[in-house]
Amino acid sequence: MRLREIPITAWVGILGIALACFCAAFAPLIAPYGETEVVGGVWQEADAQFFFGLDNLGRDILSRLIYGARTTLSVALAATVISFSLGILLSFIAAVSGGLIDTVFSRFNDLMMSIPTLIFALVVLAVLPQHLIVLILVMAVLDSTRVYRLGRAVALDVAVMEFVEAARLRGEGTTWIIFREILPNTLSPLLAEFGLRFAFSILFLSTLSFLGLGIQPPAADWGGMVKDNKDGIIFGISAALVPGTAIAALAICVNLVVDWLLKRTSSLKGGRGDA
Amino acid sequence: MSNPTETESLPRQRFQERFPLLALVIERILLSLLLLVAVSMLIFGGVEALPGDFATTYLGQSATPQAVANIRAELGLDRPVVTRYFEWLAGAVQGDFGTSWASKNSVSEQVGNRLGNSLFLAGFAAVISVPLAVGLGMLSVHFRNRMPDKIINVISLAAISLPEFFIGYLLILYFAVNFGIATFPATVYEGMGFIERLKAIALPTATLVLVVLAHMMRMTRAAILSVMSSAYMETAELKGLSAFRAIVKHAAPNALAPIINVVALNLAYLVVGVVVVEVVFVYPGMGQYMVDAVTVRDMPVVQACGLIFAAVYIFLNMLADILAIIANPRLRHPR
């Protein structure tokens, strides 16, 4: 892979993600004010001192945005990593074992998927205590159903190949087959899926926070910031749109990279491009 | 699909032979009902199995054990789970979802009013977005890999990434606050005229349309493209059929099933999108009701809304499958 072959849209995406990660990593160093520090009047207009203005309690929006990148990115990433590990592991076990295990896993997965994700999350979050860990786990488990479906389809294609059969005849265990035979051969479609799930996680987390069920105040989080500032919209104050734009921009960046990865995967396989 | 043995069900086999399509459709409907029962168990049982006691949450940490026991008895939480599940299910089937813990009002009454509002909003959004999405998808295929297609592609990619609430507030800021064309919040009440009602839901509808349009359009494009690049389309072209004839006679019948599928899937998505949009626009629908109930942990309401949303979702998916079976004869002969 040469750097020159990466299309410009993918570069935009990579740069955007890098910027967000940079903000998240060095938040206390870059942010001009503290995360929960009140520095002025309520909904003060943007000026040279406060780049995006102040929010509903007089906190600096830019600083909260930078700290929010930290919360939003880390929670979304944690949820995606867990959902991915869970989904891939279960789907590969199902694909390799077949038979009863496959049937039970897949039917249960169908059942989980027959309830819309957001509705399921609302029902579950209504009961569970409000903890960051709980939130991450709920997001991860719900999202792992989609990963499971893709993982099983991809793994089934590979599981019938000769080299897997050879490994089986050689007497290798299920664990070996999953991690040494199937995983390396399914990595590239899974990578694109990982990006897709990550973008979805960001949007989903923001939606939950917006509904007041995600990350709890006073911690800064992009979805929660929209919720905090939404009442200003009626008075023509656009404070709520700033974090909204950040969410949208990050999701677009991730999608741009995923789009490129998907195209690359399909051209590697000699597919019909975007068909 | 099960293979009925001869001794087991002769009448069933005869029925399948005489009305193969009807048998498949009935089978699909039964499957959905089964799924719905399983989902109801999941919603009810999951809520029961999860840690945390409602009575304690309800009264707060400092409640005395006696108060907790009282509230448990009052809410009926001291009886066995299975009994309560069947009571709940029997009630739900008859349209009785019990009383709300928070307001002590009948859940069904609230749901009755709000479900209509939500379906009206989602239905109106569907009427606008479906023809638009299919049209744009075809346009995009027609100009494949040329400028219009690329523009549509980039815009739709961006639209997919926008959260619903962001689109909603953007529209409110511009159309309701700055230009004053539309109204916010989207209040509807009983006895409101049809035209007034449409006016009130203009912005929420626009938000929903924007949200599903991009998804639907991209999926339509992919569905049509996969048909257009198949071998029989090449044959049609090589034997000299005009493009129009090839599309009408060969592509359209084959693309119909995937497009129907795409539309139904997105309508199901619309039902969920309604939740966020209703909260943004303070629209008195099911979604807002459910979110409010979740924040105060009003379980009967949450369970009722969850079940209804899941039921609508399952019904739309079932409809998609049935229409696909009708539109595509190949699906009638599994294996």
Side-chain angles (χ1 to χ4, degrees):
Chain A
M1 184 182 84
R2 287 190 208 95
L3 284 181
R4 273 177 44 214
E5 283 170 15
I6 302 177
I8 186 131
T9 48
W11 272 119
V12 173
I14 292 172
L15 286 180
I17 296 170
L19 179 69
C21 290
F22 180 75
C23 287
F26 302 106
L29 297 179
I30 326 171
Y33 301 96
E35 187 177 3
T36 53
E37 191 185 338
V38 176
V39 289
V42 170
W43 279 322
Q44 197 172 312
E45 292 281 314
D47 53 29
Q49 192 189 358
F50 307 115
F51 192 69
F52 285 127
L54 302 182
D55 75 353
N56 63 326
L57 296 177
R59 297 168 294 191
D60 180 39
I61 291 182
L62 178 64
S63 306
R64 280 182 72 75
L65 210 57
I66 293 171
Y67 276 102
R70 187 171 251 200
T71 331
T72 305
L73 275 184
S74 55
V75 172
L77 194 64
T80 317
V81 168
I82 297 175
S83 93
F84 228 73
S85 321
L86 194 67
I88 296 289
L89 192 67
L90 291 180
S91 67
F92 282 12
I93 290 176
V96 173
S97 320
L100 187 66
I101 295 180
D102 186 19
T103 315
V104 171
F105 280 11
S106 298
R107 287 294 86 76
F108 187 70
N109 194 56
D110 287 349
L111 177 61
M112 295 275 284
M113 284 182 83
S114 66
I115 306 176
T117 316
L118 181 62
I119 302 298
F120 208 142
L122 287 180
V123 172
V124 175
L125 288 174
V127 192
L128 290 174
Q130 283 183 333
H131 269 304
L132 198 57
I133 308 290
V134 172
L135 179 68
I136 293 176
L137 284 181
V138 167
M139 284 174 63
V141 169
L142 290 180
D143 211 32
S144 67
T145 55
R146 325 272 142 162
V147 181
Y148 176 89
R149 185 163 276 195
L150 179 90
R152 184 170 169 276
V154 179
L156 273 184
D157 279 349
V158 180
V160 292
M161 299 253 181
E162 285 89 348
F163 54 82
V164 178
E165 200 157 329
R168 260 201 198 124
L169 292 175
R170 211 159 63 218
E172 305 287 6
T174 311
T175 322
W176 169 284
I177 294 179
I178 288 175
F179 286 104
R180 302 300 291 271
E181 306 287 347
I182 294 188
L183 193 60
N185 285 293
T186 50
L187 218 49
S188 75
L190 291 182
L191 198 63
E193 178 71 7
F194 183 85
L196 216 57
R197 297 314 338 154
F198 182 53
F200 182 79
S201 265
I202 295 170
L203 291 178
F204 193 54
L205 173 67
S206 307
T207 303
L208 286 179
S209 291
F210 170 73
L211 295 176
L213 303 165
I215 291 161
Q216 296 303 312
D221 151 70
W222 292 352
M225 286 171 72
V226 176
K227 178 192 164 70
D228 290 342
N229 293 303
K230 67 178 181 183
D231 296 329
I233 292 278
I234 312 167
F235 312 113
I237 294 158
S238 54
L241 293 182
V242 178
T245 314
I247 298 165
L250 184 60
I252 290 175
C253 287
V254 176
N255 270 330
L256 285 175
V257 176
V258 169
D259 210 37
W260 163 64
L261 279 178
L262 275 177
K263 276 202 180 113
R264 206 176 128 243
T265 323
S266 63
S267 66
L268 273 183
K269 279 186 186 161
R272 290 197 186 93
D274 51 354
Chain B
M1 302 283 156
S2 60
N3 245 339
T5 50
E6 280 178 43
T7 47
E8 184 200 59
S9 54
L10 259 178
R12 184 178 157 188
Q13 212 171 15
R14 221 179 297 142
F15 183 75
Q16 270 180 338
E17 272 165 21
R18 282 183 63 191
F19 311 102
L21 187 59
L22 198 61
L24 263 179
V25 169
I26 290 176
E27 193 174 355
R28 189 64 189 75
I29 292 176
L30 288 180
L31 201 68
S32 297
L33 282 179
L34 193 71
L35 196 60
L36 197 57
V37 173
V39 164
S40 77
M41 276 188 210
L42 201 65
I43 288 180
F44 194 89
V47 164
E48 293 296 327
L50 291 167
D53 187 66
F54 305 131
T56 328
T57 332
Y58 193 67
L59 290 174
Q61 290 294 333
S62 56
T64 60
Q66 182 56 43
V68 171
N70 281 346
I71 202 102
R72 282 180 69 87
E74 191 191 319
L75 299 175
L77 289 177
D78 49 350
R79 287 174 301 135
V81 178
V82 181
T83 324
R84 277 186 290 133
Y85 170 69
F86 281 110
E87 277 176 13
W88 177 70
L89 193 66
V93 169
Q94 296 163 20
D96 175 21
F97 288 102
T99 47
S100 152
W101 290 356
S103 65
K104 307 284 177 219
N105 285 335
S106 158
V107 177
S108 315
E109 213 171 279
Q110 283 284 327
V111 164
N113 293 336
R114 287 163 178 270
L115 187 62
N117 286 347
S118 285
L119 289 179
F120 182 63
L121 178 60
F124 192 51
V127 167
I128 295 177
S129 58
V130 170
L132 209 58
V134 174
L136 278 176
M138 286 178 175
L139 200 71
S140 175
V141 171
H142 185 76
F143 290 105
R144 194 184 159 196
N145 287 340
R146 279 189 280 159
M147 221 43 216
D149 179 35
K150 282 187 176 160
I151 294 172
I152 291 179
N153 185 34
V154 169
I155 294 179
S156 64
L157 194 68
I160 284 176
S161 317
L162 296 181
E164 290 100 338
F165 53 84
F166 179 66
I167 302 180
Y169 284 126
L170 209 60
L171 291 179
I172 291 175
L173 186 65
Y174 281 103
F175 290 101
V177 178
N178 286 2
F179 300 147
I181 310 172
T183 52
F184 173 80
T187 327
V188 290
Y189 45 87
E190 260 180 74
M192 198 176 182
F194 186 68
I195 301 294
E196 274 178 74
R197 212 173 254 262
L198 284 189
K199 244 183 181 165
I201 66 163
L203 282 188
T205 310
T207 313
L208 276 177
V209 167
L210 283 176
V211 168
V212 290
L213 186 64
H215 270 284
M216 218 184 319
M217 198 223 81
R218 279 171 83 93
M219 285 159 82
T220 311
R221 177 178 181 271
I224 299 178
L225 267 186
S226 80
V227 170
M228 294 298 272
S229 57
S230 57
Y232 53 79
M233 283 308 287
E234 211 166 320
T235 312
E237 195 185 330
L238 289 178
K239 76 181 180 190
L241 282 188
S242 69
F244 179 73
R245 246 186 102 79
I247 287 174
V248 171
K249 296 278 279 188
H250 296 271
N254 285 300
L256 201 58
I259 290 179
I260 288 174
N261 226 327
V262 167
V263 168
L265 276 181
N266 279 285
L267 291 188
Y269 183 80
L270 207 61
V271 173
V272 183
V274 152
V275 174
V276 178
V277 171
E278 279 174 7
V279 173
V280 170
F281 288 93
V282 204
Y283 181 79
M286 287 280 290
Q288 200 204 29
Y289 190 42
M290 185 173 184
V291 172
D292 285 349
V294 169
T295 28
V296 297
R297 301 184 181 241
D298 190 347
M299 292 324 293
V301 178
V302 174
Q303 283 171 335
C305 292
L307 189 66
I308 291 172
F309 271 117
V312 173
Y313 191 75
I314 291 173
F315 173 75
L316 284 173
N317 275 316
M318 179 188 84
L319 207 63
D321 280 2
I322 291 178
L323 286 178
I325 290 173
I326 293 173
N328 187 352
R330 266 175 300 188
L331 292 178
R332 284 174 217 167
H333 306 283
R335 258 170 287 175

